[in-house]
Amino acid sequence: MGLLLISSGVTMVVPFGIGRVIDIIYTKDENSKMISKLTKFCILLLGVFLVGAAANFGRIYIMQTSGNKIIKRMREKVFGSIIRQDIAFFDKNKTGELINRLSTDTSIVGASITNNISDGMRSVTQAAGGIGMMVYMSPKLTMVAMCIVPPVFILSRYYGRYLQKITKNVQDSLADATQVAEERLANMRTVRAFVQEKKEKAAYENKINDVLSLSQKEALARSIFWSSTGLSGNIMIISVFYYGGLLMNEAQITVGELSSFMLYAAFAGVSIGGLTTFYSELMRGIGASKRLWQLVDTQPKIPYEGGLVPTLPLKGQVQFNGLTFSYPSRLDDPIIQDLDLTIPQGTMMAVVGGSGSGKSTLVSLLLRYYDPQSGSINVDGMNIQDLDPQWLRSHMGIVSQEPALFSCSIAENIAYGAIDPSTVTTDQIMEAARMANALQFVEKFPSGFDTMVGERGVMLSGGQKQRIAIARAIIKNPAILLFDEATSALDAESEFLVKEALDRVTVGRTVITIAHRLSTIKNADQIAVLSEGRVSEIGTYEQLMAIPQGTFRKLVEKQTIDAF
Ligand SMILES: Nc1ncnc2c1ncn2[C@@H]1O[C@H](COP(=O)(O)OP(=O)(O)O)[C@@H](O)[C@H]1O
Ligand SMILES: [Mg+2]
């Protein structure tokens, strides 16, 4: 603030100084006296300017650095808020859109509240200083000059509101475009395989065109605004010239004074222009910040932490009681209706059923990605809605059909499964890999456990990825293991290796396996058949095959269940 006053103050000296210089030159003093006066005055001015430059440096540097910090903090806050949201939130909000919020919106907001505020304050002080000096030099002329303020003020208000609205729209459409780009680029292999490059290019261009047409509207508004404010400024200058000329004619002011006054008027004009920039940038910032604050303020329906943390370790009995559920995005389509199912501690339950019968949904509900509309899920007799979700999830290991690995090393991917990955030892990683049948192939890689797996694990085969995922699921030694079609996407050989791993890691744990392969199903203690949102048949393999018109028997006969 002090720096700001100094640098603005120095700038304000310029017109005064120039006015004096002109007057010194014009005053028909003796030549030598005039020159020495001139020299002294110029040296004085130079000193003042140096101080001004230093102050300006300080002001800009401080503003820039604190601006960077503000953007950083804002990004942390927004990301922190996004990552706490429940799964339903991510069904609704796309990755690309969220990324755009994090990167672009935050930087617009950041710029508008730091640099802009600094420049805005400078404009305020300079405008005030300029007008003050104008009044000091000639109140009459000032009155003439100030006539332009009210219309510019009114125009700014309309423009500001418009800018706020359009910035929000531009950012929304930009988020849309980023979303398209992100999804297509993340699935480049699919795009290439289906030869859709041209179509995707067109789809992106389409979105970018929306951004363009909105930005063009903004450009139009901007041009109208700036040309009319510029015009008013020039009209003001003409009137001041005219009136000032009259005053000079009556010898009320000198040439130097009129020049100084004009320069102050120009300064005040520029500063008022700066103020309008400040105001419009602020409005842009407000426009861009709307969605950000919305994001930060969104409270997840399912908290990501907090709740009961039992002192005893989880044993692993699982019970679904009268469960009814439909997805938040499709409330009129009940997926699970009044379902009851009990899985005793330490046993394996195979869940089978047609595609779309809600098998994976059951797993999502147990992990508490969603809450059911009615009924409850209990583990060890405790309703999972009362428990700390982090505690609950830390006792479950999941392997799904297409496990997502992160683009880091194999060791880091396995350690990711631990509650605190930094405490995992190399021995633990090797042991988990051995249990998961992964040790053999990992050791064959030239860099072993340090091998990078690529984005989502693209640099590994399906069977390899699956075994890393198993190692990741068991490293925390969970009481409950969930396999969602963990073997259905694999070829026979990988299937065998994965199956062997599964048999090994399921010992002593409660297991829910959603399976297609008869071999897995036969091993299960019990098999539950899902149809129309409930368990239609339950029993051992032999019991279910003994039901003559049974659904399970039909599934096996139609070979919907593979006979491996
Ligand atoms: N995130 C979601 N939002 C809305 N509907 C979903 C979602 N996930 C799955 N569904 C729907 O729920 C039904 C059951 O899906 P799912 O449990 O995945 O079936 P499956 O038994 O094949 O695993 C399907 O009709 C599917 O379209
Ligand atoms: Mg499924």
Side-chain angles (χ1 to χ4, degrees):
M1 196 63 208
L3 294 172
L4 175 70
L5 283 177
I6 297 175
S7 75
S8 307
V10 169
T11 320
M12 295 316 299
V13 170
V14 175
F16 187 75
I18 292 178
R20 282 297 299 273
V21 171
I22 295 178
D23 275 351
I24 291 174
I25 296 170
Y26 268 78
T27 330
K28 302 271 182 295
D29 259 340
E30 290 163 49
N31 231 355
S32 65
K33 209 172 154 197
M34 190 269 270
I35 287 176
S36 85
K37 231 172 151 186
L38 187 64
T39 320
K40 257 195 232 151
F41 192 75
C42 283
I43 290 175
L44 184 72
L45 270 185
L46 192 67
V48 170
F49 289 160
L50 283 177
V51 172
N56 216 11
F57 166 81
R59 175 184 74 91
I60 294 172
Y61 184 74
I62 289 173
M63 270 303 168
Q64 283 281 346
T65 47
S66 56
N68 295 342
K69 281 189 208 140
I70 287 177
I71 293 178
K72 167 186 171 269
R73 251 180 267 137
M74 205 152 41
R75 288 195 173 132
E76 282 169 355
K77 209 168 158 63
V78 173
F79 189 76
S81 166
I82 292 175
I83 208 151
R84 279 174 169 74
Q85 298 302 321
D86 49 35
I87 298 293
F89 172 90
F90 294 98
D91 286 350
K92 217 167 47 208
N93 298 276
K94 315 260 173 45
T95 320
E97 189 193 324
L98 296 175
I99 287 174
N100 203 59
R101 302 281 170 226
L102 265 179
S103 51
T104 330
D105 291 18
T106 45
S107 58
I108 291 185
V109 176
S112 101
I113 59 180
T114 54
N115 283 342
N116 188 41
I117 283 190
S118 157
D119 289 346
M121 289 200 317
R122 194 181 59 175
S123 301
V124 171
T125 46
Q126 288 187 357
I131 293 170
M133 288 305 282
M134 282 160 72
V135 173
Y136 167 76
M137 305 205 75
S138 168
K140 279 187 202 156
L141 276 178
T142 313
M143 289 293 289
V144 174
M146 284 297 111
C147 288
I148 62 143
V149 170
V152 169
F153 182 74
I154 293 169
L155 195 63
S156 305
R157 278 197 61 95
Y158 278 107
Y159 178 61
R161 278 194 208 137
Y162 180 74
L163 212 57
Q164 196 178 331
K165 197 180 80 196
I166 199 132
T167 305
K168 188 161 141 282
N169 294 342
V170 168
Q171 290 309 109
D172 279 350
S173 65
L174 194 60
D176 246 19
T178 314
Q179 158 58 22
V180 169
E182 190 273 343
E183 189 172 13
R184 303 317 190 263
L185 295 181
N187 296 299
M188 201 50 223
R189 284 155 197 254
T190 311
V191 174
R192 178 80 17 110
F194 288 91
V195 205
Q196 295 293 347
E197 291 90 345
K198 288 209 182 80
K199 196 178 132 258
E200 296 304 354
K201 184 165 170 279
Y204 182 71
E205 280 168 3
N206 200 5
K207 294 286 178 192
I208 281 298
N209 273 334
D210 292 347
V211 179
L212 179 68
S213 68
L214 282 171
S215 310
Q216 302 295 50
K217 275 194 203 158
E218 188 189 329
L220 181 66
R222 192 178 283 262
S223 339
I224 293 176
F225 178 73
W226 285 108
S227 56
S228 40
T229 48
L231 181 65
S232 349
N234 290 338
I235 290 177
M236 175 195 92
I237 290 186
I238 295 179
S239 8
V240 170
F241 251 130
Y242 185 72
Y243 195 61
L246 293 184
L247 287 182
M248 213 173 71
N249 213 18
E250 294 163 20
Q252 287 195 22
I253 52 175
T254 65
V255 189
E257 275 167 355
L258 182 60
S259 313
S260 295
F261 184 88
M262 287 308 300
L263 283 170
Y264 278 121
F267 254 119
V270 169
S271 305
I272 291 173
L275 267 184
T276 39
T277 315
F278 158 70
Y279 177 71
S280 53
E281 284 304 302
L282 196 65
M283 291 298 126
R284 274 192 65 176
I286 292 176
S289 70
K290 287 216 163 124
R291 293 268 184 256
L292 285 181
W293 299 141
Q294 241 173 36
L295 262 182
V296 171
D297 288 341
T298 308
Q299 288 303 324
K301 289 210 182 61
I302 301 174
Y304 86 109
E305 64 175 357
L308 204 65
V309 178
T311 41
L312 291 174
L314 188 72
K315 293 201 211 74
Q317 189 233 28
V318 179
Q319 206 172 7
F320 298 87
N321 304 311
L323 204 63
T324 298
F325 175 73
S326 43
Y327 280 97
S329 50
R330 289 193 210 138
L331 281 172
D332 49 356
D333 180 18
I335 308 296
I336 290 178
Q337 297 185 63
D338 199 20
L339 175 141
D340 290 301
L341 182 65
T342 303
I343 304 150
Q345 171 192 342
T347 67
M348 184 196 275
M349 171 73 73
V351 178
V352 299
S355 168
S357 59
K359 305 181 293 292
S360 302
T361 306
L362 220 48
V363 169
S364 301
L365 288 169
L366 183 54
L367 283 163
R368 208 169 165 219
Y369 288 167
Y370 305 93
D371 278 338
Q373 272 78 24
S374 64
S376 66
I377 303 174
N378 293 353
V379 294
D380 289 2
M382 299 171 287
N383 189 335
I384 61 167
Q385 294 197 27
D386 299 331
L387 296 173
D388 179 355
Q390 295 205 326
W391 181 84
L392 176 76
R393 290 171 194 141
S394 69
H395 285 85
M396 299 194 196
I398 174 150
V399 182
S400 53
Q401 183 169 1
E402 280 180 25
L405 302 183
F406 291 104
S407 57
C408 47
S409 73
I410 290 180
E412 284 167 307
N413 267 296
I414 296 178
Y416 194 83
I419 317 275
D420 182 2
S422 59
T423 61
V424 177
T425 63
T426 318
D427 283 347
Q428 284 172 309
I429 292 174
M430 300 234 323
E431 175 58 15
R434 192 189 60 76
M435 296 270 285
N437 253 353
L439 193 58
Q440 245 184 343
F441 82 81
V442 174
E443 284 185 331
K444 270 192 206 137
F445 286 137
S447 17
F449 279 95
D450 294 329
T451 309
M452 303 306 278
V453 302
E455 214 177 335
R456 279 165 297 131
V458 288
M459 280 142 88
L460 295 179
S461 81
Q464 291 170 339
K465 250 194 296 192
Q466 204 61 273
R467 282 175 277 161
I468 301 294
I470 294 171
R472 176 175 69 181
I474 59 166
I475 197 160
K476 65 182 161 193
N477 196 15
I480 300 173
L481 269 180
L482 308 168
F483 298 128
D484 189 355
E485 314 208 11
T487 58
S488 60
L490 302 180
D491 55 89
E493 193 194 334
S494 310
E495 146 85 7
F496 173 75
L497 291 167
V498 170
K499 166 101 191 357
E500 205 178 59
L502 291 186
D503 290 345
R504 198 179 297 142
V505 300
T506 51
V507 179
R509 302 182 214 266
T510 306
V511 181
I512 299 179
T513 173
I514 295 168
H516 269 142
R517 303 277 158 102
L518 208 50
S519 55
T520 325
I521 296 168
K522 269 183 174 160
N523 283 348
D525 298 299
Q526 279 197 300
I527 300 163
V529 184
L530 272 194
S531 76
E532 286 166 17
R534 30 172 93 76
V535 177
S536 62
E537 291 168 18
I538 185 164
T540 60
Y541 178 76
E542 285 76 22
Q543 284 168 346
L544 293 186
M545 285 306 277
I547 308 173
Q549 288 301 313
T551 322
F552 182 71
R553 199 184 154 128
K554 278 192 209 142
L555 283 174
V556 174
E557 279 166 1
K558 275 193 294 186
Q559 292 202 324
T560 317
I561 292 172
D562 302 340
F564 270 105

